[in-house]
Amino acid sequence: MAPEQLRYDGQTVVVTGAGGGLGREYAVFFGSRGANVVVNDLGGSFKGEGKGSQAADAVVNTIRSAGGKAVANYDSVENGEAIVKTAIDNFGRIDVLINNAGILRDISFKNMKQQDWDLIMAVHVKGAYKCARAAWPYFRKQKYGRLISTASAAGLFGSFGQCNYSAAKLALVGFTETLAKEGLKYNILCNTIAPIAASRMTETVMPPDVLNSLRPEWVMPLVAVLTHKSCTETGSIFEAGGGHIAKLRWERAKGALMKPDDSLTPDAIAQRWKDVNDFSEPEHPQGPANAMELLEAAAQLPPSSPGEKLNFKDKVVLVTGGGAGLGRAYALQFAKLGAKVVVNDLVNPDTVVQEIQRMGGQAIGNKANVVDGEAVVKGAIDAYGRIDVLINNAGILRDKAFTNMDDNMWDIIHQVHLNGTYACTKAAWPYFLKQKYGRVINTTSTSGIYGNFGQANYASAKCGILGFSRSLALEGKKYNIFVNTIAPNAGTALTRTIMPEEMVQALKPDYVAPLVVLLCSDKAPTPTGGLYECGMGWFAATRWQRTGGHGFPVDVKLTPEAVLEKWEKINDFDDGRADHPHDNASGLKSIMANMQNKSKSKKEKKGNEEILSAIESAKNAKAEGTPFEYDEKDVILYNLGIGAKRTDLPFVYENHDNFQVLPTFGVIPPFNSVSPFSMSDIVPNFSPMMLLHGEQFLEIRKFPIPTGAKLVSYPKLIEVVDKGAAGIIVTGTTTKDANTGEDIFYNESTVFIRGSGGFGGPSKGGNRGPSTAVHKPPQRAPDAVVEEKTTEEQAAIYRLSGDRNPLHIDPEFSKVGGFKVPILHGLCFFGISGKHVLQSFGAFKNIKVRFAGTVLPGQTLKTEMWKTGNTVVFQTKVVETGKLCISGAGAELLGGGSKL
């Protein structure tokens, strides 16, 4: 029996930004299921420019021509009262509000203008607040309301070039969690969705085939379920797109509990870092940890054991809101460890400055408002000429039930907390970039993470700070600028009224400060991107947890009724499929994997869904880029490592007219480059001991190869092939000139992993031309043969070019691998063979080899070469054993010239 259709007869639904994309899909759906629809759209561009009435009118006409009821509204969401008034004037009520309007202003943080920040905040955050605030009295009066806020993966996990957007999107999470708490007793249910859908906003950044699978109709059924009168879900976060729906929640580590006394130091926390991040017995809280319980337990503990003392000598630390409370505690601790401290406080920085000076430390005061970040940071630059550490701590409260909140209460909290954090960080950023060093601590709160009654403004600003931090951490990482976020719990004047005095004393800011100091030091065990709850001598990491969710086949239209049927599975955190997404790639993993989920093929082949999904996700992951710098010395060392003699002057003497890099040097820059995926995620039973380097392809993209350069390598997963008993992983790495951005080398490396097949992947690899070609030697005598004896020291010299695997130097290690003596690196005899091709036939533009056996240092290599057209086909044998060590190899000559 088909499930009963969800209907919305007689209800009024307001959809903002409903002129296209997701909003249009919602509006048309609700219109078709009996609701009165207010179609709001300003009609501007996805960047928030211009306005017009055509977009909204077209959607209204679509709904009406199908027999539905709809009216248009052309106001900006910042004028929420007017949008809600349209609903009341035309239909007499409002039952559902979908805050969907949005714009993009993607730009790297260093190039972001104030307008790029302000406009995103105005539309996403203030707009959502204004519409919700206007609808709230009607919801309360009728004891019924459904509200949806729209976040995004960029907000949940952070995204490069989207600091503004991430901040706004996570601000909506804190905001909505608070509304859920305040609305519950009035039957007002509020949820957040993080959709991935094709729209005017995403079509500029995603390929067409992906966009086709990310149609808005995959998100609409979830929204339909959450806004129906039968729904009981509230305060939840769901992601949806491409036929996949899952639920997210916060997960908190058990954490490290330490005695709250003088032994609680930054170095003591460093020793307990494993406990801070221990998620083996996690909590899934709705609010802050129980301070009373933790405190009582902490007091019973013995003092902590000290570690290596931190030193901040010559570092300049700026603390906002440093005149009292937490800020004061931070300022004092940094000063004690030798830092020069700038105490910023709007009211009175001087008392703390004098306190520091009395104990022999260096400090100055600064009275600027954090909203004027330039003036705050100028204090540090004027006094000390630099800034190394920025602690964004300044804050105020304007607590009020949402129903009584006014715009002033909303604006001032966002100004001080979120915009102040942005402004101070923005002012410090150029100095950080220039000195390639910076540490930022931003302050969120448990009210922000979990929402809190009477703090819709504060929760929104505080959660926004977390979104801002996450994107900023991604942008700062390669410049050695690290960004972390803390949610502190400390005794203040506010808590005195509700706690016994000894509790207030014990909740000292002094017991939060050591974590802040540790995270700003060069000894921070996890340098960047963290979120930590702390106080009372307790420190715990907090992260996302996501259900395995459910993937619906992408070739069948998804309905709300189908979503409802799988509701338990979508919400199940305990079935062993839950994961912990931490970035955009892991965030999109399940959605990208579901694109292959078709109703017909489902029955034919059952693969390992988790591995196949991880492969799709890994293919979409982008590397941050790993720098590699080399000069003439490195070139000579490499050339010697592959057998250049002292008489080969072009290879060993930097002042020779024809001094050059042997072309196979191209395999060196990517050697230690950081891959955006982990091999253990994309094949089952991965063990590095079972890994063999199968094939190598190198293309030289710049001639002549520079004899010194700054390069950056970007590895990418090309494919994973399932050979049944084994898995094959192919990684492609593009190496570029760091200054000009031009390509210098491209490598494809194929590794063979025994025991890692059988996961349901393709059994054959793709054809990518030269990089996948296997060259067969012709049935005739070779055109050229070169023999070269390797030296006993060959592996010892070659390893200095980057491959420090002990298998090539340490006899104990090679014995474990089954070799009597350390063996020669595969890429070393690849280089020797490449040198033979170069010396016999001239320069080549690419070279491809298959590794067929091992070579011991001191053995003799014999390279046999055949010229066929523009390609030299070759193979290399170990003379002493007669066995091949390189087979099926070929090099395509540059310009077709030959030395024969």
Side-chain angles (χ1 to χ4, degrees):
M1 192 180 94
E4 197 184 334
Q5 199 184 56
L6 299 183
R7 301 280 307 171
Y8 306 84
D9 299 295
Q11 292 196 328
T12 301
V13 179
V14 173
V15 185
T16 68
L22 282 168
R24 179 185 184 281
E25 192 66 30
Y26 302 151
V28 171
F29 166 80
F30 284 113
S32 74
R33 295 281 181 104
N36 312 312
V37 186
V38 176
V39 179
N40 157 266
D41 203 280
L42 185 61
S45 75
F46 71 87
K47 286 184 170 176
E49 293 153 354
K51 54 200 269 188
S53 62
Q54 288 161 305
D57 291 344
V59 176
V60 168
N61 291 337
T62 302
I63 295 170
R64 286 181 177 167
S65 58
K69 299 185 196 126
V71 295
N73 170 286
Y74 319 113
D75 284 285
S76 159
V77 283
E78 291 174 83
N79 192 3
E81 298 91 336
I83 298 172
V84 171
K85 187 174 186 294
T86 302
I88 305 302
D89 289 352
N90 284 274
F91 305 116
R93 61 186 290 129
I94 173 172
D95 300 276
V96 178
L97 169 63
I98 299 174
N99 278 321
N100 165 72
I103 56 169
L104 277 182
R105 277 296 180 90
D106 290 2
I107 188 162
S108 69
F109 187 62
K110 67 172 190 277
N111 297 325
M112 193 171 284
K113 306 263 187 301
Q114 190 65 43
Q115 192 197 1
D116 298 318
W117 176 267
D118 291 344
L119 198 60
I120 290 285
M121 292 305 143
V123 173
H124 291 270
V125 186
K126 183 83 184 270
Y129 153 74
K130 289 293 281 183
C131 293
R133 184 66 191 81
W136 206 251
Y138 298 101
F139 285 169
R140 273 177 52 126
K141 197 174 166 194
Q142 68 208 17
K143 289 213 170 23
Y144 184 91
R146 299 286 183 267
L147 180 142
I148 298 287
S149 294
T150 310
S152 83
L156 301 182
F157 315 118
S159 178
F160 205 94
Q162 293 194 308
C163 282
N164 48 0
Y165 187 70
S166 301
K169 286 306 191 187
L170 213 51
L172 292 174
V173 170
F175 174 58
T176 312
E177 287 174 332
T178 296
L179 293 190
K181 288 183 158 116
E182 292 199 29
L184 186 59
K185 69 173 181 184
Y186 299 101
N187 188 20
I188 308 170
L189 308 186
C190 308
N191 291 289
T192 306
I193 59 161
I196 309 288
S199 67
R200 287 181 306 174
M201 279 168 45
T202 50
E203 66 199 13
T204 53
V205 290
M206 286 185 177
D209 55 328
V210 171
L211 286 172
N212 193 39
S213 303
L214 293 178
R215 296 188 303 273
E217 50 262 41
W218 292 115
V219 179
M220 176 278 294
L222 169 65
V223 170
V225 169
L226 291 173
T227 51
H228 193 257
K229 58 178 183 281
S230 62
C231 177
T232 56
E233 193 79 36
T234 193
S236 301
I237 306 164
F238 292 90
E239 62 169 31
H244 195 270
I245 300 175
K247 184 177 183 176
L248 290 113
R249 66 180 177 184
W250 292 108
E251 178 167 274
R252 182 160 68 204
K254 188 175 182 184
L257 189 61
M258 302 162 78
K259 191 176 188 72
D261 65 3
D262 292 344
S263 71
L264 178 49
T265 57
D267 39 295
I269 300 174
Q271 309 232 59
R272 297 282 307 279
W273 198 250
K274 231 170 88 204
D275 299 332
V276 174
N277 290 280
D278 178 5
F279 284 95
S280 61
E281 298 172 46
E283 273 191 281
H284 299 99
Q286 299 288 310
N290 186 328
M292 305 280 192
E293 272 178 27
L294 285 168
L295 249 174
E296 281 164 16
Q300 311 302 315
L301 295 170
S304 306
S305 55
E308 184 191 348
K309 201 171 171 193
L310 304 179
N311 184 355
F312 284 84
K313 187 173 166 3
D314 298 329
K315 293 272 194 280
V316 177
V317 178
L318 168 58
V319 183
T320 71
L326 284 165
R328 170 181 169 271
Y330 304 154
L332 291 171
Q333 282 228 12
F334 278 112
K336 278 178 192 153
L337 295 171
K340 298 167 180 167
V341 183
V342 180
V343 181
N344 159 270
D345 201 280
L346 204 49
V347 184
N348 177 22
D350 303 334
T351 315
V352 176
V353 170
Q354 287 154 14
E355 238 181 303
I356 291 171
Q357 288 168 346
R358 274 200 302 276
M359 62 187 211
Q362 287 178 275
I364 59 136
N366 171 288
K367 278 193 167 180
N369 186 328
V370 286
V371 177
D372 183 1
E374 296 283 349
V376 174
V377 171
K378 189 173 183 294
I381 304 302
D382 288 353
Y384 300 121
R386 62 182 288 132
I387 175 171
D388 299 283
V389 176
L390 170 63
I391 314 285
N392 284 309
N393 164 70
I396 55 167
L397 285 181
R398 291 288 187 278
D399 294 359
K400 203 73 162 178
F402 190 58
T403 192
N404 298 322
M405 192 168 285
D406 62 34
D407 291 1
N408 290 336
M409 295 172 194
W410 179 269
D411 292 341
I412 191 166
I413 289 288
H414 276 81
Q415 275 304 329
V416 172
H417 290 272
L418 186 49
N419 298 347
T421 297
Y422 163 77
C424 292
T425 312
K426 186 80 178 91
W429 204 252
Y431 299 101
F432 289 162
L433 286 174
K434 199 172 163 193
Q435 65 209 21
K436 287 215 168 22
Y437 185 95
R439 300 290 181 265
V440 182
I441 298 287
N442 289 330
T443 312
T444 184
S445 109
T446 48
S447 300
I449 305 170
Y450 308 111
N452 193 25
F453 218 95
Q455 293 194 308
N457 49 0
Y458 184 74
S460 153
K462 283 302 195 187
C463 210
I465 286 171
L466 177 60
F468 171 63
S469 300
R470 292 210 154 151
S471 287
L472 205 57
L474 295 173
E475 292 202 29
K477 201 170 171 183
K478 68 173 177 185
Y479 300 107
N480 187 24
I481 306 170
F482 298 153
V483 185
N484 287 288
T485 313
I486 59 158
N489 189 352
T492 63
L494 285 176
T495 49
R496 263 209 164 80
T497 51
I498 49 168
M499 283 184 188
E501 186 59 27
E502 64 269 22
M503 285 292 302
V504 177
Q505 288 302 318
L507 281 175
K508 277 184 186 158
D510 310 50
Y511 305 136
V512 171
L515 175 67
V516 171
V517 172
L518 175 63
L519 290 171
C520 294
S521 74
D522 298 333
K523 299 272 189 294
T526 309
T528 192
L531 166 62
Y532 305 97
E533 295 183 45
C534 52
M536 309 77 71
W538 169 75
F539 307 92
T542 301
R543 64 181 181 183
W544 288 115
Q545 187 189 32
R546 173 176 59 186
T547 62
H550 185 69
F552 297 89
V554 292
D555 54 349
V556 178
K557 186 176 160 59
L558 185 59
T559 63
E561 292 73 29
V563 171
L564 213 45
E565 268 184 49
K566 297 289 179 193
W567 196 243
E568 261 180 51
K569 190 178 177 193
I570 289 168
N571 285 272
D572 190 347
F573 284 97
D574 302 318
D575 61 6
R577 296 182 308 131
D579 65 351
H580 304 95
H582 60 278
D583 60 8
N584 250 337
S586 54
L588 293 173
K589 185 179 78 170
S590 314
I591 286 170
M592 294 316 236
N594 196 60
M595 292 186 182
Q596 311 309 317
N597 175 6
K598 297 209 163 75
S599 56
K600 302 173 194 56
S601 64
K602 196 82 179 217
K603 296 171 188 61
E604 293 159 22
K605 182 176 180 187
K606 192 80 186 104
N608 178 334
E609 292 298 330
E610 195 177 329
I611 294 282
L612 296 175
S613 139
I615 291 171
E616 282 315 303
S617 163
K619 282 184 183 171
N620 289 295
K622 286 196 172 37
E624 280 193 9
T626 305
F628 178 88
E629 201 170 329
Y630 69 99
D631 57 19
E632 293 165 340
K633 181 176 141 192
D634 301 300
V635 169
I636 295 169
L637 185 61
Y638 174 78
N639 291 347
L640 288 169
I642 59 167
K645 305 286 181 278
R646 66 180 175 81
T647 49
D648 298 328
L649 291 183
F651 301 143
V652 296
Y653 180 40
E654 69 282 3
N655 291 327
H656 190 278
D657 288 347
N658 191 24
F659 178 59
Q660 60 183 280
V661 186
L662 280 163
T664 51
F665 176 75
V667 300
I668 299 295
F671 191 76
N672 287 314
S673 56
V674 180
S675 186
F677 60 90
S678 160
M679 286 195 182
S680 56
D681 290 344
I682 56 175
V683 289
N685 320 317
F686 173 76
S687 160
M689 300 305 283
M690 305 298 274
L691 184 148
L692 294 170
H693 190 165
E695 297 183 356
Q696 185 72 29
F697 169 74
L698 164 66
E699 182 181 354
I700 295 104
R701 292 184 172 174
K702 181 177 170 67
F703 293 94
I705 301 169
T707 54
K710 285 185 176 177
L711 306 177
V712 186
S713 291
Y714 299 92
K716 183 179 182 355
L717 179 64
I718 303 293
E719 65 184 5
V720 184
V721 180
D722 185 352
K723 286 293 183 193
I728 293 175
I729 297 176
V730 184
T731 307
T733 305
T734 307
T735 300
K736 295 175 177 286
D737 184 306
N739 298 319
T740 64
E742 66 181 318
D743 286 10
I744 309 293
F745 303 115
Y746 173 72
N747 280 275
E748 252 179 47
S749 185
T750 302
V751 297
F752 190 84
I753 302 147
R754 290 167 303 187
S756 286
F759 51 87
S763 56
K764 275 181 73 165
N767 178 358
R768 292 181 297 283
S771 74
T772 48
V774 178
H775 301 273
K776 269 184 83 165
Q779 298 289 314
R780 57 181 165 86
D783 298 324
V785 178
V786 177
E787 267 196 37
E788 179 174 345
K789 185 171 166 53
T790 62
T791 70
E792 300 281 351
E793 283 71 45
Q794 204 82 57
I797 299 170
Y798 183 82
R799 68 189 294 273
L800 298 178
S801 286
D803 182 350
R804 301 286 181 87
N805 185 336
L807 182 64
H808 307 297
I809 194 81
D810 182 349
E812 293 304 316
F813 205 90
S814 60
K815 279 195 189 91
V816 176
F819 304 104
K820 288 194 192 74
V821 296
I823 60 174
L824 199 55
H825 306 62
L827 287 175
C828 177
F829 56 84
F830 158 80
I832 293 172
S833 304
K835 183 180 63 168
H836 296 164
V837 174
L838 177 82
Q839 288 168 329
S840 307
F841 295 95
F844 47 83
K845 57 184 173 191
N846 62 47
I847 180 168
K848 160 79 195 293
V849 305
R850 182 170 271 181
F851 296 107
T854 51
V855 179
L856 305 179
Q859 286 182 326
T860 307
L861 297 174
K862 176 162 113 180
T863 305
E864 302 171 328
M865 297 165 267
W866 295 261
K867 187 168 183 292
T868 63
N870 195 31
T871 300
V872 176
V873 176
F874 67 96
Q875 61 185 23
T876 305
K877 284 179 179 155
V878 177
V879 173
E880 288 79 358
T881 63
K883 289 183 177 168
L884 285 172
C885 60
I886 284 179
S887 67
E892 197 180 338
L893 296 172
L894 181 64
S898 160
K899 285 189 171 176
L900 269 191

